[in-house]
Amino acid sequence: MKDSKLRIVMISSECAPYAKTGGLADVVGALPKILRQRGHDVRVIIPKYSLIDYNKYRLQPFLGTMGVWMGNGQEWCTVHFADNEGVPVYFIESNKYFDRPGLYHDASYNDYQDNPRRFGFLTRAALQLCRDTSFAPDIVHVHDWQSALGPAYLKIWHWNDQILGRAASLLTIHNLAYQGVYSASHYEYLGLQWGNFTANKFEDHGRINFLKGGIQYADMVNTVSPTYANETRTPETGYGLAMYLTDRGDDYIGILNGVDYAVWNPAVDQRLPANYTSHDLSGKGVCKEELQRRFGLVEDPNVPVFGVVSRLAAQKGLDLLANGVEGILNSMVAQFVILGSGDPDLQTYFSRLPSRYPGRVGSFIGYNEDLAHLIEAGSDFFIMPSIYEPCGLNQIYSLKYGTLPVVRATGGLEDTVQQYNEATGEGTGFKFILPTPGALADTIGWAVSTYFDRKPHLQRMIQTAMAQDYSWERSAAGYETAYERALRNQQK
Ligand code: ADP
Ligand code: GLC
């Protein structure tokens, strides 16, 4: 960004590699690194969940105690520090709130009842940390509902503060469907003042809506792809907040996520049995063989393998696959590998499928980074039939691994995958529109027929896909522009 180097603090509930359930962690892990390379002083603040291994990540004590004012009194925490490849990361430790096995829910997927307090506390503690360390940020960058109260705290409590009074805020929405809507009984604790419990700020049918307040108070708001930014302005995909987003006019924008190609790149990926490039794909064959072996599939290089790595949530549309995959298995030559966890019914379905189609379907229910990389590399095609997708990272990883995405044309999937043109062989993947098992099955069939009948097209698509560049450079420039605008808005 021009010549001005910014001081930026990011507050988030996830950050790779420390704590991750999805793409939010990848973004908060990668974006600060590139912003630092561009000269900005970026710091990240996340909770010290008990699952974060102190020794593995070389955490160090930073502050023995820190007092944080909440709406009904002071609470205490400690702060730890780690260096994430040059990015300072601070961890807020509170046994009361973060000493639990999960990030958001228990092993049975029941949300922790005190989530609004946990993340309200995180956000206030993060701002307090800036004050206690005299770090005066130009930008407070918050992510999703978990830290969406940050902009409001700045404007309600810190507008006149020496350290925080000049900070502008950016709210990044990674998923509009999760808004942080909770009983008003938490409002007092959050310390947002009852005068602000109004329909245009925090109140939502008598409850508190974190994200709504964030949209109202942030100096700039963005989401993670241009198409999703447009979709969320419409009632169908706006989840009740379309009107508020539309009201923000040009202060609500879409910035496509980037990819950390130091982590997701088949040429250097250390988790693979073999590396490869677009000039020499032999390593991809080795990965495919290993993938087939690991998942108990028939080890045949000439059968197309379709991979899935996903949260098993309604958003991801994997019920379309569950409802269509057996028809496909009974009529086409194809293998499937599924890695994911989430919805109990889908978990049960996909965990049983391999025993019903031995050698043709493999699955692993759970979270496993090594397998995620192996599936990206060893599959021929990658399936993402999302009902909606703010950006989606796995399809972008797939492009780099020469694993052609089969996606529904929505949100970031629409923005990053170019439709195959059967007349010319152009394109990087296969897209469909209707969210039905039939449309997905037809599109998988299209990929299968391309695999067997139009090999030159397949080769060309793999080359085109691997040449796509979604590195963070471009997206970082987009964030710099958003920060500049936020600063201008803050000074108005
Ligand atoms: P979302 O954030 O909505 O889940 P993204 O595509 O943006 O979707 O990011 C998902 C990230 O989480 C990717 O890095 C993906 O590899 C990872 N991931 C999802 N499920 C699993 C799993 N079961 N095991 C390992 N990694 C997973
Ligand atoms: C959310 C979205 C996903 C996006 C990720 C990172 O989890 O579901 O589409 O890629 O955030 O921004």
Side-chain angles (χ1 to χ4, degrees):
M1 165 180 178
K2 322 283 172 333
D3 284 328
S4 52
K5 304 302 178 205
L6 297 171
R7 286 184 305 270
I8 303 162
V9 59
M10 284 203 195
I11 313 173
S12 174
S13 58
E14 300 190 19
C15 175
Y18 309 105
K20 167 168 167 175
T21 69
L24 167 63
D26 290 357
V27 172
V28 177
L31 176 59
K33 285 186 206 162
I34 192 86
L35 288 169
R36 273 194 98 86
Q37 281 165 25
R38 293 162 78 94
H40 307 292
D41 181 351
V42 192
R43 302 167 185 211
V44 176
I45 304 176
I46 65 169
K48 166 68 182 74
Y49 302 107
S50 42
L51 59 73
I52 299 175
D53 190 316
Y54 211 87
N55 296 323
K56 179 175 172 194
Y57 294 117
R58 296 168 190 232
L59 268 61
Q60 302 158 22
F62 185 73
L63 284 183
T65 51
M66 183 170 80
V68 180
W69 285 101
M70 297 308 292
N72 49 4
Q74 206 172 18
E75 303 230 24
W76 300 92
C77 60
T78 53
V79 184
H80 306 275
F81 169 85
D83 177 292
N84 186 18
E85 295 176 32
V87 177
V89 181
Y90 299 88
F91 301 81
I92 304 293
E93 177 161 37
S94 153
N95 291 341
K96 175 175 164 190
Y97 287 139
F98 302 125
D99 185 12
R100 321 184 176 183
L103 269 57
Y104 311 121
H105 51 70
D106 64 22
S108 319
Y109 290 91
N110 298 311
D111 274 359
Y112 295 128
Q113 290 300 304
D114 56 352
N115 273 347
R117 291 171 188 248
R118 297 171 74 222
F119 294 105
F121 175 76
L122 166 74
T123 307
R124 285 225 75 178
L127 296 177
Q128 188 62 41
L129 181 60
C130 294
R131 299 176 82 204
D132 284 11
T133 55
S134 299
F135 181 71
D138 300 298
I139 300 291
V140 172
H141 186 167
V142 299
H143 296 267
D144 275 348
W145 73 264
Q146 288 90 340
S147 50
L149 299 185
Y153 285 140
L154 286 175
K155 288 207 168 29
I156 296 171
W157 292 112
H158 302 298
W159 58 275
N160 206 12
D161 187 305
Q162 271 205 327
I163 300 290
L164 295 170
R166 296 165 65 89
S169 57
L170 171 67
L171 164 67
T172 298
I173 300 173
H174 297 264
N175 195 332
L176 190 65
Y178 300 95
Q179 299 180 1
V181 180
Y182 295 102
S183 156
S185 61
H186 299 290
Y187 197 77
E188 190 81 35
Y189 174 81
L190 295 169
L192 292 162
Q193 298 185 335
W194 283 107
N196 296 316
F197 194 65
T198 54
N200 65 339
K201 292 183 178 168
F202 292 105
E203 193 268 344
D204 183 349
H205 297 90
R207 294 158 71 81
I208 319 167
N209 186 322
F210 278 51
L211 202 60
K212 188 179 188 184
I215 292 168
Q216 178 64 28
Y217 277 98
D219 293 307
M220 271 297 283
V221 182
N222 83 291
T223 187
V224 287
S225 70
T227 293
Y228 191 64
N230 289 334
E231 290 170 351
T232 47
R233 288 188 174 93
T234 64
E236 302 78 53
T237 327
Y239 294 90
L241 296 182
M243 186 175 88
Y244 302 99
L245 290 168
T246 308
D247 277 354
R248 295 298 313 246
D250 293 344
D251 289 342
Y252 175 51
I253 59 175
I255 305 173
L256 199 67
N257 283 332
V259 167
D260 189 344
Y261 285 130
V263 179
W264 294 99
N265 176 354
V268 298
D269 191 333
Q270 292 177 357
R271 297 175 191 258
L272 301 181
N275 292 112
Y276 59 91
T277 63
S278 57
H279 306 297
D280 179 3
L281 286 163
S282 53
K284 187 166 174 66
V286 176
C287 294
K288 179 167 175 176
E289 201 182 323
E290 172 69 7
L291 179 69
Q292 289 176 319
R293 199 185 59 72
R294 286 281 284 279
F295 281 88
L297 305 176
V298 174
E299 289 171 40
D300 182 343
N302 298 314
V303 175
V305 177
F306 289 79
V308 173
V309 178
S310 186
R311 291 185 292 118
L312 300 179
Q315 165 193 354
K316 299 296 177 180
L318 289 166
D319 52 325
L320 306 182
L321 183 64
N323 287 313
V325 70
E326 297 192 47
I328 299 168
L329 284 161
N330 292 329
S331 60
M332 297 178 211
V333 176
Q335 296 178 346
F336 291 85
V337 173
I338 295 122
L339 166 65
S341 62
D343 178 86
D345 291 342
L346 285 174
Q347 288 195 164
T348 307
Y349 180 77
F350 286 122
S351 67
R352 290 184 183 157
L353 204 56
S355 61
R356 301 191 19 238
Y357 294 88
R360 300 188 62 201
V361 181
S363 70
F364 181 92
I365 302 304
Y367 188 89
N368 187 307
E369 301 254 347
D370 286 339
L371 289 179
H373 285 249
L374 185 62
I375 292 172
E376 285 291 0
S379 304
D380 298 289
F381 301 100
F382 194 90
I383 304 176
M384 275 180 87
S386 306
I387 303 305
Y388 71 90
E389 195 62 74
C391 178
L393 292 169
N394 276 115
Q395 84 281 9
I396 314 183
Y397 302 155
S398 301
L399 294 170
K400 189 49 98 195
Y401 285 76
T403 302
L404 303 179
V406 175
V407 304
R408 199 171 94 73
T410 182
L413 299 172
E414 169 69 357
D415 291 342
T416 53
V417 178
Q418 277 163 258
Q419 182 70 302
Y420 169 45
N421 180 336
E422 207 174 305
T424 64
E426 289 167 315
T428 59
F430 303 84
K431 298 203 266 193
F432 62 100
I433 294 174
L434 280 182
T436 61
L440 171 61
D442 288 348
T443 313
I444 289 175
W446 193 23
V448 171
S449 73
T450 308
Y451 182 91
F452 286 113
D453 304 337
R454 290 179 296 280
K455 283 254 190 260
H457 283 185
L458 192 80
Q459 296 315 327
R460 179 169 173 187
M461 290 175 82
I462 291 171
Q463 292 296 322
T464 314
M466 292 181 80
Q468 301 296 305
D469 181 8
Y470 288 99
S471 58
W472 269 107
E473 283 292 332
R474 195 177 47 176
S475 313
Y479 277 99
E480 286 169 346
T481 307
Y483 293 150
E484 267 180 36
R485 278 189 74 122
L487 280 166
R488 278 205 302 275
N489 289 344
Q490 198 268 348
Q491 282 152 17
K492 270 183 197 162

